[in-house]
Amino acid sequence: MQLSESASHTPGTVRPGGRTARTRAAVRDAVLTGLAEHGYPGLTVEYVAEHSGVHKTTVYRRWGSIEGLVADALQLAGEDSWTPPDTGSLDGDLQALAREVTETFGDAPAAAAPTAFVAAAFQSRRAAEALHDFYAERFARCESVVTRAVERGEAPVGTDAAAVVRAVSAPLFFRVLITREPIGTPLADQSAAAVAAAVRAGAYLPAG
Amino acid sequence: MQLSESASHTPGTVRPGGRTARTRAAVRDAVLTGLAEHGYPGLTVEYVAEHSGVHKTTVYRRWGSIEGLVADALQLAGEDSWTPPDTGSLDGDLQALAREVTETFGDAPAAAAPTAFVAAAFQSRRAAEALHDFYAERFARCESVVTRAVERGEAPVGTDAAAVVRAVSAPLFFRVLITREPIGTPLADQSAAAVAAAVRAGAYLPAG
């Protein structure tokens, strides 16, 4: 992924190169810890500097602000090698995708970062944009699940892959982060089975 | 709805009776305005007192704290006479439910309160509990859509009504409040059609 020219001139979007990758990771870790401990409103550049061991003036110079720090931490979170499950069937892949969500949110340390980012997006437009970009890229990767299902003849040609992969996760995120209800494997499996059935019924084909 | 005895002794959960209903509504309005303007971290009892015209000492005595104010505003929001759509068909009812969500979030003033409550729930455990209770009661009302569909023979006996009514709204809330993507009528209709197809396929029957 390459930075656009304009982004490279905006403080807080500058991406340190390989030489400073360790600094960036340390700062990202401090941002995540701070968000989990204090939430976005309580996160300060002082906290990030202290917990990352990176000097405050360096943090200000490279990331500009708390908003820049959160945006960069999200961008870094998106730079992993995660690939969606490939179990050999649409049902299996959707189930595995849904179960990953319940596993993440069922594990307090793993849940802290996504929860903190979603919360920060309510406080900061820049964090909201970064979160949008993170999920857009993440769900784009997931679409291969649907592409393969179409190739195998398990899903009709023209199935709205973007909608399918979001629909599987949405009831789980909705309960954890909005209606504040418990989730678990049975709910993940139910969501996956429901979306798979809707796919087979052609409910994700373009309206017409 | 009656308050439990213990609740009536907890500051902030005392529900003013009819005589003070106007005070309560004025305070609720000030809470909503304050949440929309400043977010939960910026909301103060001083702000609520000033904008409601209710004396600060009265606000403290009756609601105890910002948490009590937010919880009571949510409880008041749940005390409406809203009933789910009754169009005569499962498809029509689910579509109408989904469209209500897109209409709420497509209208900035209408979206402000639910958005502010969801954001506050990340900051305050008490707000999260109040939000849970609000949605639990709201979705319990929605279940009549599924009950009627079962009676009409449109849905299998044993269909998980709670899951169905949440699944219809979830992809819309997910995009607006989490992935920060736009929503609209086509997406509402797609979500409704997908869930209706899954219901017909028996995907919301108990696993076994």
Side-chain angles (χ1 to χ4, degrees):
Chain A
M1 221 187 285
Q2 270 211 300
L3 277 178
S4 72
E5 203 168 358
S6 74
S8 71
H9 294 298
T10 311
T13 56
V14 177
R15 243 171 86 193
R19 233 191 53 189
T20 53
R22 220 159 36 183
T23 299
R24 191 182 175 211
V27 165
R28 183 268 321 267
D29 290 347
V31 169
L32 290 180
T33 310
L35 283 176
E37 275 182 16
H38 303 293
Y40 185 82
L43 188 67
T44 61
V45 170
E46 285 72 19
Y47 178 99
V48 173
E50 192 180 319
H51 284 74
S52 64
V54 176
H55 200 277
K56 205 171 78 170
T57 54
T58 308
V59 175
Y60 273 117
R61 194 179 64 242
R62 266 200 207 142
W63 285 274
S65 65
I66 286 294
E67 294 206 303
L69 284 163
V70 171
D72 191 53
L74 258 167
Q75 199 181 338
L76 195 53
E79 291 172 15
D80 62 5
S81 58
W82 182 87
T83 52
D86 185 4
T87 65
S89 76
L90 176 66
D91 288 83
D93 286 358
L94 295 182
Q95 185 182 74
L97 269 182
R99 286 185 178 192
E100 276 197 34
V101 177
T102 61
E103 279 154 23
T104 299
F105 285 105
D107 176 47
T115 304
F117 284 133
V118 171
F122 286 97
Q123 313 289 333
S124 151
R125 181 180 299 267
R126 180 118 175 255
E129 289 166 359
L131 192 65
H132 166 273
D133 293 350
F134 171 82
Y135 278 121
E137 196 277 327
R138 186 62 42 141
F139 281 116
R141 291 192 214 178
C142 291
E143 291 183 23
S144 62
V145 161
V146 179
T147 311
R148 290 192 302 256
V150 171
E151 286 164 5
R152 285 188 300 254
E154 295 179 289
V157 175
T159 296
D160 183 345
V164 167
V165 294
R166 282 162 179 79
V168 170
S169 310
L172 306 165
F173 278 89
F174 183 54
R175 281 174 173 86
V176 172
L177 300 176
I178 298 175
T179 65
R180 305 279 164 176
E181 296 169 300
I183 62 172
T185 308
L187 208 62
D189 293 355
Q190 182 191 57
S191 181
V195 173
V199 166
R200 280 188 285 270
Y204 288 104
L205 290 171
Chain B
M1 222 188 284
Q2 271 209 301
L3 277 179
S4 72
E5 203 167 358
S6 74
S8 70
H9 293 298
T10 311
T13 57
V14 177
R15 243 171 86 194
R19 233 188 54 188
T20 53
R22 220 159 37 181
T23 299
R24 192 182 175 211
V27 165
R28 183 265 324 264
D29 290 348
V31 169
L32 291 180
T33 311
L35 283 177
E37 274 181 17
H38 303 293
Y40 185 81
L43 188 66
T44 62
V45 170
E46 285 70 21
Y47 178 97
V48 173
E50 192 181 317
H51 284 75
S52 64
V54 176
H55 199 277
K56 204 171 79 171
T57 54
T58 307
V59 174
Y60 273 117
R61 196 179 63 241
R62 267 203 204 139
W63 285 274
S65 64
I66 285 296
E67 293 205 304
L69 283 163
V70 170
D72 190 54
L74 257 167
Q75 199 181 339
L76 194 55
E79 292 172 14
D80 63 4
S81 59
W82 182 86
T83 52
D86 185 4
T87 65
S89 76
L90 176 66
D91 288 83
D93 286 357
L94 294 182
Q95 186 182 73
L97 271 181
R99 286 186 178 191
E100 277 197 34
V101 178
T102 59
E103 279 154 23
T104 298
F105 285 104
D107 176 47
T115 304
F117 283 133
V118 171
F122 286 98
Q123 313 288 333
S124 151
R125 181 180 299 266
R126 180 118 175 255
E129 289 166 0
L131 192 65
H132 166 274
D133 294 349
F134 172 82
Y135 278 121
E137 196 278 326
R138 186 62 42 140
F139 279 116
R141 290 192 216 179
C142 291
E143 291 184 22
S144 62
V145 160
V146 179
T147 312
R148 290 193 303 258
V150 171
E151 285 164 4
R152 284 188 301 254
E154 293 178 288
V157 175
T159 296
D160 183 346
V164 168
V165 294
R166 282 164 179 77
V168 170
S169 310
L172 306 166
F173 278 89
F174 183 55
R175 281 175 172 85
V176 172
L177 300 176
I178 297 176
T179 65
R180 306 280 166 175
E181 296 169 300
I183 62 171
T185 307
L187 208 61
D189 293 357
Q190 181 191 56
S191 180
V195 173
V199 167
R200 279 189 285 270
Y204 288 105
L205 290 171

